[in-house]
Amino acid sequence: MTFPPHPAATDVEFDVRQIPFSYRGAWFDLSPVVGLHQRSETIHLVSHRNGMHAVLALQPVANGAPVPARWTTSSTTLRWTGDDGGTVTAAFEGPHVLRLRGRGLGLRIVDAASDLTPFTGTYLFTDPVDGTSVFTSYETGRRYRLTRVSGALQVVGAEALGAADRAVVAGANGGDWELAIQETTAGALPFTPHSPFPAVVAAADAAFRDYLDAVAPWRDERTPAAALAAYVLWSATVAPEGFLGRESVLMSKHWMDKVWSWDHCFNALALAPGLPDAALDQFLAPFDHQDPTGALPDSVTHSEILFNYVKPPIHGWALNRLRGLSTRELADTELREIHDRVAAWTRFWLVQRRRPGHVLPFYQHGNDSGWDNSTTFDRDRVIESPDLAAFLVLQLETLADLATELGLPAEEWKHERDSVLRALTTDLWRDTEFVAVGALSGNDSTATSLLNLLPLVLGERLPDRVRQLLADRLIAHLTEHGLATEPPTSPRYEADGYWRGPIWAPSTALIEDGLRSSGFTQLADEVSSRFRALCERSGFAENFDALTGAGLRDRAYTWTAAVYLMFAADHVRRI
């Protein structure tokens, strides 16, 4: 398919209060969001090494005093504009350097912590070799070297210890200025500017435009949020470092700055058509940390791997879709690696997560399902759940097909697939609905959560009557804005209740795919349309109020952007 040319990527503008300003591969961003649900009135340089840390505050100044300034942000620049028209403009020169330029407006770059102890805070000194000002951060384990390109710089509090004012002020005399902030290690070479500021902006624009054209070449007036969705993914991508050995898309460069072991699948699917190598890395990132039983970690980030929970085995479902979307064939060596890793992950569920004598595996907590506080877990937390069984059926089938393709034994996977599917439809079906069953208590769960409808992903593997009843029950969840995770008519519905009401991208994607594979095309189209409209109106929040459509929690969530891109691409190709 041939797509028409598109306008410049710099047309992508957004509110930095909602979406951080960053660059593909960078481990830091500029944002007023400085912690969990914490927003400052000042733009900060925020790092995501060793967690989320606001390192430096960037305060516009004039005549030595702070002044108000408006923020405008695009995919290539962040600009402060003072009341008198003076400006400070920021642009990334690659993932490690931030260039800043002032015209009639100064900038005070100050230690955000203010208090320096032997193990916390940020220290400032002047390097005797080249005269640069260097902030060193205990929290991030990195240095932030400020190199003057032009104009005047004033250093305050160099070598000060304890509670002190540590800052570098650019343009304090009212003149024009330019500097670079370089994120470095102790032995990194000093930064030498080789490109003028306009060339830096142009290079950043070209880098994002190349990414956008790869990820969303189909975009047009029918998909108005496609470029911004691509920016959310692009700007949340970090270079291989720490425990993330591959280029990885974090869930966000706000406080949800990790790779969770089901979230990554949706980002991989959005990347697969245009960036197949990046998609494969995204898919495999958590598999680099499987434990000896085959379990995936709950999450991975720069300096932390958590194994206190797991996430649902949607990887067979995702792998099938990834291979269908990818623009290159996977080599046999790649397929064998994937087979072995997914096989180990599947055995974890069959061996570690089945009660003796039971066919169906169990979750130990709502967090294992990804639906942390779903009402399905209200009566029992340790449950044999219908969504888990359905995902495992698909994963076993994918393994059987992949094993056959590679000339490996497949009968075990086929046998387990048939057994789990049979147990799902006999042990968890109650006349008109699926329930979960307490693995210890044997008690049925409630069945009002959207989670109980996820077996729709099995499509024609389910009996016709079961598919129809699930589709009928889905209508109670469908609001003007999309699929509520708990029906608004339920007494357990909560507007901002996380998985007890709000609309989420992954549940929407799974249900939409299940509806299509079950033959309910018109309903699938409606689910897709409402979710796309929701994102176009309310952005790419972690989740959304099901009745008002307002964005909730983290407002720059990559799996939301990824599902929008998946739906938008499918929509354009279908019409």
Side-chain angles (χ1 to χ4, degrees), residues 9 84-85 111 158 215 264 290 295 297 350 387 415 487 543:
D84 62 356
D111 164 25
V215 170
H264 70 113
Q290 279 182 289
L350 297 177
D387 65 308
H415 171 74
N543 53 71

Side-chain angles (χ1 to χ4, degrees), residues 165-182:
D165 188 20
R166 284 174 281 271
V168 175
V169 184
N173 61 0
D176 293 348
W177 58 272
E178 188 175 332
L179 63 80
I181 302 178
Q182 179 190 15

Side-chain angles (χ1 to χ4, degrees), residues 476-550:
H477 294 264
L478 189 58
T479 74
E480 173 189 353
H481 306 289
L483 290 171
T485 44
E486 184 76 14
T489 55
S490 166
R492 291 173 288 275
Y493 174 84
E494 298 175 31
D496 187 10
Y498 224 51
W499 293 94
R500 302 173 75 90
I503 297 165
W504 286 78
S507 52
T508 301
L510 290 161
I511 290 288
E512 192 264 2
D513 184 65
L515 288 169
R516 291 197 189 281
S517 62
S518 296
F520 301 108
T521 304
Q522 186 174 353
L523 185 53
D525 287 344
E526 191 62 34
V527 167
S528 171
S529 176
R530 294 188 191 191
F531 185 80
R532 285 183 281 113
L534 175 64
C535 293
E536 289 159 6
R537 181 172 54 253
S538 299
F540 303 106
E542 184 178 355
N543 53 71
F544 304 88
D545 187 306
L547 296 181
T548 68

Side-chain angles (χ1 to χ4, degrees), residues 5-21:
H6 304 288
T10 45
D11 290 342
V12 183
E13 297 183 351
F14 55 91
D15 184 351
V16 74
R17 297 170 182 84
Q18 305 289 328
I19 300 172
F21 177 65

Side-chain angles (χ1 to χ4, degrees), residues 1-6 217-218:
M1 183 178 293
T2 302
F3 298 97
H6 304 288
W218 37 261

Side-chain angles (χ1 to χ4, degrees), residues 111 113-123 136-140 162 166:
D111 164 25
S114 74
D115 193 18
L116 178 65
T117 78
F119 301 105
T120 64
T122 301
Y123 173 64
T136 71
S137 167
Y138 276 107
E139 282 74 15
T140 71
R166 284 174 281 271

